Amino acid sequence: MTESDFEPKIVGFLCNWCSYRAADLAGTARMKYEPNVRIIRVMCSGRVDPTFVLKALSLGADGVMLAGCHPGECHYIEQNYKTIRRFKMLKHTLRALGIEEERVRLQWASAGEGALLASAINEMVDQVRKLGPLHWSGNWMDDEGAQEAIQALPSEHAEAMEVPA
Amino acid sequence: MTDGGAPTTEKGKLALYWAASCGGCEIAVLGIDDKILKVAEAFDIVFWPCVMDGKVRDIEKMPDKSIDLCLFNGAIRTSEQEYMAQLLRQKSEVLVAFGSCAAEGCIPALANLNTREEIFQTAYHDTPSTDNPDGIRPQTETEVAEGILHLPMFYNTVKTLGQSVDVDYYLPGCPPEADRIWDAIVAILTGQLPAPGSVIGAQTTVCDTCPRTRNEKKIKEFKRTWEIIPDPETCLLEQGLVCCGIATRAGCEALCPTVGSPCIGCYGPNDGVVDFGARMMTALASVIDSQDPDEIDRIIQEGIPDPIGSFYRFGLANSLLRRKSLAGNGYSRMAETA
Amino acid sequence: MTEKVGVYICHCGTNIAGPVDVAEVARWAKENLKGVALARDYRFMCSSLGQEIIQEDIKNEGLTRVVVAACSPHLHEKTFRSACSKMGLNPYLTQMASIREQVSWVTEDRAAATEKAKMMVAGAVRRVQLQVELQPTEVPVNPNTLVVGGGIAGIQASLELADAGYHVFMVEREPSIGGHMAQFDKTFPTLDCAACILTPKMSDVGLHENIELLSYAEVESVSGYVGSFDVRVRKKARYIIEDACTGCGICIEKCPKKVVDEVFEVGLGYRKAVYRPFPQAVPKFPVIDKETCIYFERGTCKACEKFCPTEAIDFEQTDSYVDLNVGNIIMATGYDLFDCTKIPQYGYGRLANVFTNLEFERLCNAAGPTEGRIVLRDGVTEPKSIGIIHCVGSRDKNYHPYCSAVCCMSALKFGHLAMEKTGAEVYSFYIDMRPLHKNYEEFYDRLLQEGMHFIRGRVAEVTDAARLPGEEGKIIIQAEDTLIGKQRRIPVDMVVLLGALQPRFDAKETGLKFGVSAGLDGWFTERHPKLDPVATMTDGVFIAGTCQGPKDIPDSVTQGAAAAARVQGMIAKGTVLIEPIVASIEEARCSGCRICNNLCPFNAIEYLEDKEVSYINAALCKGCGTCVAACPAQAISGAHFTNDQIFAEMEGLLYDVIGSNGATAKSPQPVLEPA
């Protein structure tokens, strides 16, 4: 894959009531937006565990979008405030691990804001495309020569033992 | 195998090895006090570099699976350690990842916030007491008059034992408490074991054994341990201290919170949890008492200035992301073509 | 045990099949995804033929799971669940992938659309195999209903339910029911007298054998769930013994303390310390206002007690509590008026003869402080010219962005009444004229004929600083007349500000008590703005009238009736099904840390002191999953949205990144060669 044809793969968590309906609305209105965000439906953005974001990134996603109802409009009254707090705590940690801001995004979109969601998706895809692939598992690929060094040890030990005590 | 009482037929073979560790797990084994005699009755200790002489060559010559039980502590961060992990896996019937380093990386895994280059630069050049004008660094191969000397390869990323070989059981803790060690040995000897690959330990968290009273949680500020003298009766988290007991597997009888020191999470996550830090992040964030985004930012950044240290002190290598990004350190981000 | 997943890719005519190669997606799914027993594509899966295909496959192929890749689950999730259920396959063993709204309708490139569809299907296929059978719980419905608020919406709802034979408890905060409508003079467009059409309904409520009216009372707390709510009501002390009071009114007559009536008379008139808000009050019992009564202040007077013929005065009375059990709740708590002092440039509170809409209603009202004469603050002078300013606090980014729905019609009404009573020149300053409903446009026409003046422009300022001849002693309204493109200064004697309708000052707290969300603007959130305006997210709690958003009387009545109809439906059915998408705590894993305890706005989580663990009441749980995500011990699981299911879906969606084995594949163990 060359740099020029990199297409980000982004996982989106959308809440059933507002943001998922916003995505539906974008569809009904035939708004065209980037196809890079693959959506998982949850009942509320409050269901989103930071584990989900970490798992998506570790599996190879280039970014994660969390979407929910605007604060004050949560269909479960106030659960999106917990989403805000968890998101901020998570970003604090992700920064320390060297993950760029644009890769994990919290986007509010009410059920009538199909255009807003589509444009947020376009913006995020564009930003992540410019950043390049995250390819997180590349961070722990075996060091070059590690397996050889390991395999060499039995013969090194055998050689060493030939030296009289 | 018998129940650890009078030996019947032949003794089993026991090996203990230490990889990237501090030696505390070795001492912890001795913490079972006189029960160590029972262990000596049941087992022949064939390999324990900390305590007795031995040759790796002898282990290499043993038939596969001839070591009945191997207690392997320490994380894997050099090729030698990985080799020993593979060797002992091959030669052992039951391989136990003993202690936090082997199970989840523990303190050595905090090196995953840096690269090998950064570590070597600090250790061999930058520290004030280092006198190394020629900038000599350890090499994996060095030619000398007598031949070629080999040193292990130093990895960029610290791994857990489980990330290097198949592990039969995990015994968490830094170090595991003596009673838990004994429980595990008895379990192994009597065959009362969970499914292979499991942790031998509790299925709940430290709060279960903590004597402090608990109320509903609403946190306005996170406090550092030196900022307050905690009330002896109330839950430490409610007082603003970042106590990891809420997410940490039980087993230690809540030693630290009992004496007023917030739990730092050395027993790792509860059963089935894939990322300890995520549990801490979500639980603490959920109970922050604010709805204002700026105030929330301030509470988090002032109260938890070192999130990796607070949430991944023991489990960084075993977490979902395992390490800080290598990108920007001369490592490419491009995916290899499938 | 491996599952047998049936995968169905819908064409939806050309809606999906145009942009997405549906046959290819089906082929790919069968070939690559583990667990797929068969994969078909078909024109319209939601049609009866389409559903039959699935049903036949369940029967003949022994399918254990079904995935339908089609439109949004919001449209047909129920359809496919029901189709499977009829064949004995538990409805929760199905999953939809939205490849229309989220793929075919929004993606330009066919190749990209087909790829994305494949990923969505992969996600659904992996997820569905981890889904388990779930059964909804059936609970009985108590036929009693609680109606909160005695305005026109609440009154309508109560009468409908009571006439149908069901028992209603109506709780009203004020001493009398009637709400804001009781304050009005005439109603548009018919110019019916508000009291004339309202008071018969109020009487009906007061006399109805099926309505128990708890007036001068508020709801303290609500617990329970649909079909069985436990409500605690606090009856505030009237200091009148209701059983003894005949409503003769002698106490009011004899009371020496007169105070300004800030509530009903909106500060324009007086009442006594013991009072009825208005003569036709229901119930008829007066109230002693503790704050202003001489006895409570100084310990003297007691004139009311002396003169009461039935010894109905009781100064020792205390608040009392009533506990109710009801099956459903209708909230009809109404609105507050915008505080016009917030817009200082309109002069309210500073310039004497600037009035609010409610104040003007009271002036017009024959039973009001001026006996129906439209006069200035001096109580004597009739205005010769009146300016009416629309959108005060409404349609305004600085205050309320919304339109208050009724003010334009009020302006026409006020204009008519003013011209009729005083012959004054009336000027309306509007942004748009919004006579939207039946006969409203005709009413506008009528006022145009009657000679009301309409100036299209946002008023910049209301001032008494005269600048031009003819302005001395007048109030000047300055506005741009946008239709002629000129600034105008119109001197008038009186200004009426049409203040916005806004949510009650305590709407948010009230909502929380009942598990109803107040949106950004503060109006209660309906379940669906288009298709379900009277239901809320909390089953069994309905909303009606202006508490849901600004509206006129016909709409409030309609919503009251709609809510009553919904409740009647529930009562008639007798039982209600509670969805099984709920959270539960595994006791063995819970350490009693109590992190979850205050995360539930529906109070579904409690702490069991004896066991030292937390517990979720499944009947109260709404399934949001917030506690599931928060538990540090991972002791809480959310049915139908478990971690494993979500991880599986994620792994499927990232199929093109991690392949078919997913992330669980471990690299093979290296074997060491002995040297």
Side-chain angles (χ1 to χ4, degrees):
Chain A
M1 179 194 313
T2 64
E3 292 249 10
S4 59
D5 52 40
F6 162 62
E7 277 305 319
K9 296 174 179 61
I10 297 174
V11 177
F13 291 93
L14 269 55
C15 78
N16 182 61
W17 302 98
C18 282
S19 46
Y20 196 89
R21 281 185 208 260
D24 279 356
L25 179 60
T28 346
R30 313 294 199 275
M31 297 179 201
K32 301 289 181 261
Y33 58 86
E34 302 273 27
N36 310 57
V37 177
R38 295 131 189 223
I39 295 171
I40 292 180
R41 175 177 163 221
V42 287
M43 293 311 286
C44 178
S45 60
R47 175 68 186 92
V48 179
D49 190 326
T51 312
F52 299 169
V53 178
L54 299 170
K55 179 96 174 155
L57 296 175
S58 72
L59 284 177
D62 300 297
V64 179
M65 175 185 270
L66 311 184
C69 311
H70 289 272
E73 296 193 338
C74 179
H75 270 68
Y76 300 95
I77 317 231
E78 52 186 25
Q79 307 308 67
N80 49 5
Y81 288 109
K82 284 104 179 172
T83 312
I84 297 177
R85 305 197 283 253
R86 289 181 196 151
F87 176 76
K88 286 185 174 294
M89 187 74 90
L90 177 62
K91 290 288 268 199
H92 189 48
T93 302
L94 293 179
R95 248 169 248 132
L97 294 177
I99 292 175
E100 301 94 324
E101 290 305 308
E102 296 84 349
R103 293 193 188 268
V104 179
R105 176 179 178 136
L106 179 60
Q107 177 66 43
W108 304 126
S110 71
E113 291 181 310
L116 176 68
L117 184 65
S119 118
I121 288 175
N122 283 339
E123 187 181 70
M124 183 178 180
V125 171
D126 192 50
Q127 288 169 342
V128 176
R129 197 183 278 125
K130 290 195 174 72
L131 289 174
L134 182 61
H135 184 44
W136 192 259
S137 57
N139 287 303
W140 61 70
M141 297 266 121
D142 274 348
D143 290 43
E144 222 180 290
Q147 290 307 318
E148 289 77 17
I150 294 170
Q151 297 288 350
L153 279 165
S155 27
E156 276 174 41
H157 292 158
E159 269 173 39
M161 290 307 283
E162 277 157 33
V163 176
Chain B
M1 280 276 91
T2 62
D3 63 351
T8 49
T9 47
E10 54 177 74
K11 288 187 183 182
K13 293 193 175 52
L14 175 64
L16 294 93
Y17 187 68
W18 52 0
S21 70
C22 68
C25 284
E26 261 66 18
I27 298 169
V29 168
L30 298 177
I32 62 177
D33 296 333
D34 50 323
K35 296 196 192 69
I36 196 85
L37 300 172
K38 287 208 163 55
V39 174
E41 276 171 18
F43 290 103
D44 256 337
I45 300 177
V46 298
F47 190 56
W48 194 355
C50 173
V51 161
M52 50 191 239
D53 254 351
K55 297 290 179 206
V56 174
R57 194 81 185 104
D58 293 337
I59 302 297
E60 285 171 352
K61 287 190 193 138
M62 291 171 76
D64 285 358
K65 300 248 184 246
S66 55
I67 300 176
D68 295 285
L69 174 62
C70 175
L71 301 176
F72 190 114
N73 77 73
I76 310 295
R77 82 114 70 246
T78 69
S79 54
E80 177 185 22
Q81 288 158 356
E82 187 159 13
Y83 170 68
M84 289 307 298
Q86 290 177 9
L87 178 67
L88 286 165
R89 169 71 280 179
Q90 209 168 308
K91 306 295 177 189
S92 304
E93 178 70 40
V94 177
L95 178 65
V96 174
F98 188 98
S100 177
C101 289
E104 41 171 15
C106 197
I107 305 297
L110 287 175
N112 284 354
L113 288 173
N114 299 101
T115 62
R116 173 180 52 234
E117 175 56 35
E118 285 168 348
I119 292 170
F120 278 23
Q121 180 67 24
T122 303
Y124 298 111
H125 298 272
D126 294 343
T127 42
S129 55
T130 301
D131 180 24
N132 184 6
D134 297 327
I136 296 174
R137 288 221 185 151
Q139 303 297 318
T140 48
E141 287 188 352
T142 309
E143 207 170 319
V144 293
E146 295 83 345
I148 298 179
L149 295 179
H150 293 101
L151 281 178
M153 175 187 245
F154 189 96
Y155 293 163
N156 253 317
T157 300
V158 176
K159 299 202 280 190
T160 66
L161 185 62
Q163 285 164 356
S164 314
V165 297
D166 284 334
V167 168
D168 294 304
Y169 300 105
Y170 296 83
L171 193 58
C174 179
E177 288 299 308
D179 284 342
R180 302 287 86 74
I181 296 173
W182 180 244
D183 288 345
I185 292 177
V186 168
I188 290 167
L189 289 177
T190 56
Q192 310 261 16
L193 290 161
S198 310
V199 172
I200 302 177
Q203 306 232 304
T204 182
T205 58
V206 172
C207 298
D208 202 56
T209 47
C210 179
R212 291 171 179 267
T213 52
R214 276 156 255 155
N215 300 295
E216 295 203 341
K217 311 275 187 267
K218 271 183 153 83
I219 300 178
K220 266 278 181 226
E221 299 291 339
F222 290 111
K223 302 263 195 292
R224 310 294 301 286
T225 47
W226 42 262
E227 281 186 276
I228 60 163
I229 295 180
D231 165 294
E233 304 295 325
T234 325
C235 166
L236 293 174
L237 181 59
E238 278 159 43
Q239 299 180 57
L241 294 169
V242 177
C243 180
C244 296
I246 50 175
T248 307
R249 192 186 296 255
C252 59
E253 324 268 325
L255 281 176
C256 301
T258 303
V259 297
S261 185
C263 168
I264 49 177
C266 77
Y267 259 66
N270 197 11
D271 225 38
V273 171
V274 298
D275 190 300
F276 179 86
R279 307 262 47 80
M280 282 307 297
M281 287 193 270
T282 186
L284 291 187
S286 298
V287 299
I288 289 176
D289 190 13
S290 171
Q291 296 191 336
D292 171 40
D294 292 327
E295 193 186 5
I296 295 167
D297 268 328
R298 188 191 54 75
I299 293 172
I300 291 173
Q301 276 160 33
E302 281 176 14
I304 306 178
D306 175 14
I308 307 299
S310 301
F311 303 140
Y312 289 105
R313 187 187 306 223
F314 293 89
L316 184 57
N318 208 29
S319 68
L320 284 167
L321 295 182
R322 302 200 203 175
R323 64 158 299 121
K324 183 173 173 180
S325 174
L326 287 175
N329 281 299
Y331 293 88
S332 159
R333 266 276 179 68
M334 293 309 299
E336 287 149 31
T337 44
Chain C
M1 198 206 73
T2 43
E3 303 298 341
K4 287 174 130 179
V5 185
V7 175
Y8 301 90
I9 317 292
C10 185
H11 296 209
C12 192
T14 53
N15 281 309
I16 298 176
V20 171
D21 186 347
V22 288
E24 164 61 17
V25 175
R27 183 207 63 76
W28 178 88
K30 174 79 175 71
E31 202 175 282
N32 293 285
L33 300 179
K34 280 211 195 84
V36 174
L38 57 85
R40 304 188 196 285
D41 60 277
Y42 182 68
R43 294 210 78 213
F44 293 105
M45 285 309 301
C46 60
S47 65
S48 37
L49 287 175
Q51 292 180 52
E52 268 163 42
I53 294 177
I54 301 176
Q55 291 173 325
E56 286 299 300
D57 283 340
I58 293 173
K59 191 170 79 178
N60 300 332
E61 308 292 333
L63 296 183
T64 58
R65 299 282 188 280
V66 167
V67 167
V68 181
C71 51
S72 166
H74 280 134
L75 293 170
H76 282 301
E77 184 170 63
K78 263 210 176 79
T79 314
F80 297 116
R81 277 186 177 169
S82 166
C84 291
S85 177
K86 288 194 182 93
M87 294 305 291
L89 185 66
N90 186 284
Y92 293 92
L93 299 180
T94 62
Q95 181 70 1
M96 281 187 75
S98 174
I99 59 169
R100 189 182 71 172
E101 277 82 343
Q102 287 179 13
V103 182
S104 71
W105 272 351
V106 294
T107 310
E108 293 274 17
D109 177 64
R110 191 179 159 87
T114 306
E115 277 313 295
K116 188 174 178 184
K118 287 179 183 171
M119 297 302 109
M120 305 284 287
V121 170
V125 167
R126 287 195 76 141
R127 190 196 201 288
V128 82
Q129 293 179 72
L130 294 182
Q131 284 167 212
V132 297
E133 291 190 1
L134 295 172
Q135 308 294 345
T137 344
E138 200 165 20
V139 293
V141 176
N142 182 319
N144 299 340
T145 310
L146 171 68
V147 174
V148 185
I152 186 61
I155 288 173
Q156 186 67 28
S158 305
L159 287 173
E160 302 238 354
L161 282 164
D163 285 344
Y166 302 120
H167 194 81
V168 176
F169 297 102
M170 180 190 273
V171 173
E172 164 57 53
R173 172 192 288 191
E174 296 300 322
S176 166
I177 58 176
H180 282 297
M181 190 175 169
Q183 294 172 292
F184 300 164
D185 174 33
K186 304 276 192 298
T187 57
F188 53 76
T190 50
L191 297 173
D192 280 321
C193 147
C196 306
I197 54 177
L198 177 63
T199 48
K201 285 199 190 264
M202 284 169 57
S203 277
D204 280 348
V205 167
L207 294 169
H208 211 298
E209 59 178 2
N210 284 336
I211 301 181
E212 195 173 318
L213 176 54
L214 300 160
S215 61
Y216 206 51
E218 298 197 42
V219 171
E220 282 274 294
S221 65
V222 181
S223 62
Y225 46 90
V226 57
S228 177
F229 290 105
D230 292 308
V231 182
R232 169 156 275 219
V233 177
R234 180 168 63 98
K235 290 189 66 171
K236 300 181 280 193
R238 282 178 187 264
Y239 307 106
I240 308 279
I241 302 167
E242 291 178 18
D243 287 337
C245 176
T246 59
C248 67
I250 289 184
C251 51
I252 301 173
E253 220 184 280
K254 299 296 181 184
C255 176
K257 183 70 178 281
K258 213 176 183 186
V259 294
V260 174
D261 182 351
E262 297 288 357
V263 179
F264 192 80
E265 296 293 6
V266 213
L268 290 185
Y270 296 93
R271 60 162 171 84
K272 299 291 185 71
V274 56
Y275 71 103
R276 262 195 289 260
F278 52 98
Q280 308 97 320
V282 171
K284 57 182 186 272
F285 314 120
V287 156
I288 298 180
D289 174 17
K290 196 173 174 184
E291 308 291 312
T292 50
C293 166
I294 296 175
Y295 171 74
F296 283 110
E297 229 183 306
R298 299 183 246 139
T300 55
C301 183
K302 285 197 177 181
C304 48
E305 195 184 55
K306 289 195 195 91
F307 286 97
C308 175
T310 52
E311 292 178 12
I313 309 282
D314 176 12
F315 289 104
E316 305 307 310
Q317 203 179 69
T318 51
D319 291 353
S320 61
Y321 292 90
V322 179
D323 289 314
L324 307 171
N325 187 273
V326 295
N328 290 279
I329 299 174
I330 298 176
M331 299 187 51
T333 48
Y335 67 90
D336 279 341
L337 194 66
F338 177 73
D339 175 10
C340 296
T341 58
K342 286 206 163 95
I343 306 185
Q345 57 267 41
Y346 287 171
Y348 181 69
R350 175 172 49 94
L351 300 175
N353 291 311
V354 175
F355 294 81
T356 65
N357 30 357
L358 270 180
E359 284 178 334
F360 195 77
E361 290 278 3
R362 295 313 301 152
L363 289 182
C364 293
N365 193 306
T370 59
E371 291 164 348
R373 288 175 302 120
I374 298 174
V375 288
L376 300 178
R377 298 267 183 198
D378 62 10
V380 173
T381 323
E382 272 190 0
K384 294 208 176 50
S385 50
I386 303 178
I388 303 178
I389 303 180
H390 296 225
C391 310
V392 176
S394 308
R395 302 187 67 184
D396 189 334
K397 265 191 272 218
N398 300 312
Y399 306 102
H400 298 300
Y402 54 79
C403 165
S404 289
V406 299
C407 314
C408 285
M409 290 307 295
S410 295
L412 298 174
K413 174 180 74 172
F414 291 160
H416 172 83
L417 291 172
M419 291 191 290
E420 188 180 62
K421 290 191 177 184
T422 66
E425 293 298 320
V426 181
Y427 302 89
S428 145
F429 296 83
Y430 70 99
I431 305 177
D432 294 286
M433 281 307 290
R434 293 189 161 167
L436 294 172
H437 296 154
K438 189 167 179 178
N439 292 320
Y440 286 13
E441 183 67 27
E442 292 89 327
F443 192 63
Y444 178 32
D445 239 3
R446 176 176 170 181
L447 267 299
L448 283 166
Q449 303 299 326
E450 286 179 12
M452 187 162 161
H453 308 283
F454 291 92
I455 294 156
R456 183 177 179 278
R458 195 81 199 221
V459 170
E461 190 186 29
V462 173
T463 177
D464 59 356
R467 254 207 280 141
L468 303 170
E471 292 183 358
E472 209 55 51
K474 299 276 199 191
I475 304 179
I476 303 104
I477 301 178
Q478 171 145 352
E480 181 195 358
D481 186 336
T482 57
L483 294 176
I484 61 173
K486 286 193 153 84
Q487 283 284 330
R488 293 179 70 173
R489 288 172 66 89
I490 312 234
V492 293
D493 295 321
M494 178 194 260
V495 171
V496 180
L497 302 176
L498 298 176
L501 273 56
Q502 64 185 29
R504 290 279 187 195
F505 69 94
D506 58 351
K508 211 180 174 108
E509 286 161 48
T510 310
L512 273 174
K513 264 188 206 152
F514 293 88
V516 172
S517 175
L520 272 179
D521 289 327
W523 305 110
F524 291 142
T525 308
E526 60 286 291
R527 192 172 262 249
H528 192 286
K530 283 270 199 241
L531 301 176
D532 212 351
V534 296
T536 65
M537 257 307 295
T538 302
D539 290 331
V541 179
F542 301 90
I543 50 180
T546 51
C547 64
Q548 184 256 354
K551 56 177 64 69
D552 55 19
I553 292 166
D555 282 351
S556 295
V557 168
T558 307
Q559 284 200 342
R566 294 292 289 269
V567 170
Q568 281 189 59
M570 307 269 279
I571 299 174
K573 188 138 189 283
T575 57
V576 66
L577 288 177
I578 300 200
E579 273 240 62
I581 300 184
V582 293
S584 57
I585 298 182
E586 195 181 326
E587 199 177 299
R589 291 175 67 98
C590 175
S591 62
C593 73
R594 305 192 66 176
I595 289 262
C596 58
N597 283 192
N598 60 346
L599 296 182
C600 184
F602 305 100
N603 297 313
I605 309 180
E606 49 184 303
Y607 182 65
L608 305 176
E609 295 278 356
D610 52 331
K611 291 188 180 169
E612 291 188 328
V613 293
S614 296
Y615 169 78
I616 295 176
N617 180 340
L620 293 177
C621 174
K622 302 274 170 265
C624 72
T626 302
C627 60
V628 180
C631 178
Q634 216 164 275
I636 310 183
S637 63
H640 208 61
F641 287 88
T642 65
N643 283 350
D644 286 340
Q645 287 162 1
I646 293 175
F647 287 161
E649 190 174 355
M650 196 193 299
E651 287 171 10
L653 290 179
L654 292 172
Y655 184 96
D656 52 354
V657 178
I658 59 181
S660 63
N661 285 321
T664 48
K666 250 184 138 155
S667 37
Q669 189 74 71
V671 177
L672 293 168
E673 297 301 317

